Amino acid sequence: MNRYIYFDHAATTPVKPEVLEEMMPYLKGKYGNASSIYALGRESKKAIENARDRVALALGAKAEEIFFTGSGTEADNWAIKGVAYANRKKGKHIITSKIEHHAVLNACKFLEKEGFEVTYLPVDNDGLLDAEKVREAIRPDTILVSIMYANNEIETIQPIAEIGKIAKEKGILFHTDAVQAVGNIKIDVNNINVDLLSLSAHKFYGPKGVGAIYIRRGTKIASFIHGGAQERGRRASTENVAGIVGVGKAIEIATLNMDSYNKKLLELRERTINEVLSKIPHVRLNGHREKRLPGNANFSFEFIEGESLLLLLDMKGIAASSGSACTSGSLDPSHVLMAIGLPHEIAHGSLRLTFGEDNTHEDIDYLMEVLPGIVERLREMSPLYESTLSEYNSECVKINLK
């Protein structure tokens, strides 16, 4: 196999050379513990604070409102559990949506076992949440609303500013899982009325194993990890200095290059959507047609199974996914696709293509060279497809006889 094309940037992105270059000194000579008072430690501490400034600048936040974590999942868990535990005397009701990442959904399910009540709001067929549904779900004991900025599978963008305004009017804390959005959308935490926001470096060409959470000053939240006094006493654990340096550099680059990056991704996305829908029958685009991240195209192909599709694409040198990378080991259909109304058998035949800076129109050429044949090959193996074609041909004969 001479070529390998990567269409799974929503799962993870490669580390940019500039990011790795800035990280390397802290993996070698500048290895000091940031909690140490001698020069080597002070150098690490300075690097962390420089990265904190960069993240804050990218989000329109204050540096003291940024806390580094081990991942976006940890940031989500901290936001939800931390707010729940710190505010449970006020109430035990949380509002979220049915299409959240499992980091949010499973944190909420855990809290339900602890006596909290969670309302899981539905979305429409495009994966869009009606902000008024949030208003209607609010109760006197509601303490938190958590709605993702953009979905990790279909990448529909939610009306975050509108939802945040409602939460603010009601005096309820608002968290958004922005793991997919940061690096793809210009975000100002003040304009969108959020109190907490989660991000992960490896989604925008930074390293894995490091994330961050924005916590608005004055937000009542309990610590999630207990131990030492790192992160101003809010998040214990010796800091991953090199990783934190990486997230700072990566978010700075992403912010500076966002307009040109998005323009390129949008061209690739639109061409892919148009060609797939026009050249392959019995296929559906999942997610809102316009209100979606620029680099995502998610399809459901009738009469095939998504895992087989991925394996055959991989044999042709194309990496893609059938949904979230976090659920790749599950045999269950995507909860997101089920939530937007797809039947079980169609939800199983999904393909998520997410583009990045190294993708080209030649990559799309190759995709469209192999994808239609793979889909047809898999459908020929499906008894359901054969019976559907027979029914269709019978109807055509009836029409022609008339």
Side-chain angles (χ1 to χ4, degrees):
M1 184 173 63
N2 296 323
R3 62 192 302 170
Y4 197 79
I5 297 172
Y6 187 71
F7 284 143
D8 203 17
H9 293 81
T12 195
T13 56
V15 177
K16 278 182 175 290
E18 309 97 297
V19 173
L20 184 60
E21 182 180 358
E22 195 156 320
M23 291 171 60
M24 284 306 295
Y26 300 93
L27 293 168
K28 293 182 175 181
K30 298 182 179 182
Y31 51 81
N33 188 318
S35 296
S36 301
I37 62 173
Y38 43 73
L40 204 59
R42 293 198 304 272
E43 197 164 15
S44 292
K45 182 68 172 177
K46 183 179 178 181
I48 290 173
E49 296 312 314
N50 180 49
R52 199 184 313 277
D53 288 340
R54 285 168 156 176
V55 174
L57 182 63
L59 299 177
K62 300 180 179 67
E64 61 267 25
E65 297 174 314
I66 303 299
F67 299 84
F68 293 110
T69 65
S71 63
T73 291
E74 183 194 325
D76 283 341
N77 273 261
W78 185 5
I80 293 165
K81 296 175 184 176
V83 166
Y85 289 140
N87 295 274
R88 56 185 161 187
K89 290 184 178 179
K90 178 183 176 183
K92 290 191 172 183
H93 181 235
I94 297 167
I95 298 171
T96 189
S97 83
K98 291 183 177 181
I99 64 167
E100 298 296 311
H101 189 278
H102 281 101
V104 170
L105 292 178
N106 288 340
C108 287
K109 289 176 183 177
F110 171 84
L111 288 173
E112 287 182 290
K113 295 177 182 178
E114 298 276 301
F116 290 85
E117 294 182 44
V118 182
T119 297
Y120 300 91
L121 296 176
V123 294
D124 66 16
N125 291 340
D126 291 323
L128 197 61
L129 176 65
D130 182 351
E132 287 304 308
K133 295 292 184 183
V134 176
R135 187 190 302 276
E136 293 168 6
I138 291 174
R139 306 182 336 199
D141 61 339
T142 303
I143 55 173
L144 174 67
V145 174
S146 180
I147 303 296
M148 66 192 338
Y149 206 121
N151 184 262
N152 52 298
E153 292 189 34
I154 59 175
E155 313 234 340
T156 295
I157 299 171
Q158 303 298 342
I160 294 299
E162 190 177 349
I163 295 169
K165 183 179 179 182
I166 292 170
K168 187 176 182 179
E169 289 171 357
K170 299 291 185 179
I172 298 168
L173 293 176
F174 180 40
H175 164 250
T176 187
D177 172 358
V179 166
Q180 291 293 338
V182 171
N184 288 296
I185 298 175
K186 291 181 179 179
I187 294 175
D188 187 311
V189 291
N190 298 298
N191 291 342
I192 59 175
N193 303 303
V194 296
D195 299 294
L196 306 107
L197 179 147
S198 307
L199 62 88
S200 184
H202 76 105
K203 303 295 186 178
F204 48 89
Y205 301 93
K208 297 174 183 64
V210 60
I213 182 172
Y214 157 77
I215 304 175
R216 185 179 295 278
R217 185 177 179 182
T219 298
K220 191 175 180 181
I221 183 171
S223 293
F224 182 62
I225 296 179
H226 302 92
Q230 291 89 355
E231 290 300 277
R232 302 187 299 286
R234 304 289 289 274
R235 194 270 185 185
S237 184
T238 300
E239 298 92 343
N240 173 8
V241 180
I244 290 170
V245 168
V247 71
K249 182 63 173 179
I251 203 168
E252 180 182 70
I253 295 173
T255 303
L256 291 172
N257 298 336
M258 192 173 295
D259 289 340
S260 58
Y261 179 63
N262 283 350
K263 181 181 178 182
K264 174 182 178 177
L265 296 195
L266 190 61
E267 289 178 358
L268 295 175
R269 182 194 84 186
E270 289 302 291
R271 181 184 167 196
T272 301
I273 290 174
N274 291 334
E275 293 207 23
V276 169
L277 294 181
S278 64
K279 294 180 179 179
I280 303 176
H282 308 294
V283 59
R284 166 199 160 104
L285 175 69
N286 297 316
H288 198 282
R289 188 65 178 81
E290 288 84 32
K291 296 176 182 177
R292 67 192 302 137
L293 292 182
N296 170 282
N298 187 305
F299 305 99
S300 284
F301 298 90
E302 294 185 53
F303 317 113
I304 68 170
E305 202 280 319
E307 186 173 351
S308 299
L309 176 59
L310 295 184
L311 290 172
L312 291 177
L313 283 171
D314 185 50
M315 290 174 66
K316 293 291 187 179
I318 296 175
S321 75
S322 60
S324 166
C326 302
T327 60
S328 60
S330 173
L331 295 176
D332 295 328
S334 159
H335 71 285
V336 175
L337 299 183
M338 297 292 283
I340 64 174
L342 268 63
H344 191 286
E345 63 274 11
I346 295 180
H348 260 302
S350 67
L351 174 68
R352 183 184 70 172
L353 301 166
T354 46
F355 312 110
E357 64 178 13
D358 292 331
N359 290 134
T360 64
H361 282 280
E362 287 73 24
D363 293 342
I364 308 301
D365 290 340
Y366 182 63
L367 173 71
M368 295 313 302
E369 180 182 320
V370 302
L371 181 60
I374 290 175
V375 171
E376 184 61 28
R377 176 183 169 187
L378 290 172
R379 284 176 173 169
E380 288 174 352
M381 299 163 61
S382 167
L384 183 60
Y385 183 54
E386 186 177 336
S387 63
T388 301
L389 280 182
S390 297
E391 291 177 14
Y392 175 76
N393 290 332
S394 296
E395 288 300 317
C396 288
V397 169
K398 291 178 183 177
I399 292 171
N400 290 331
L401 288 174
K402 291 179 181 178

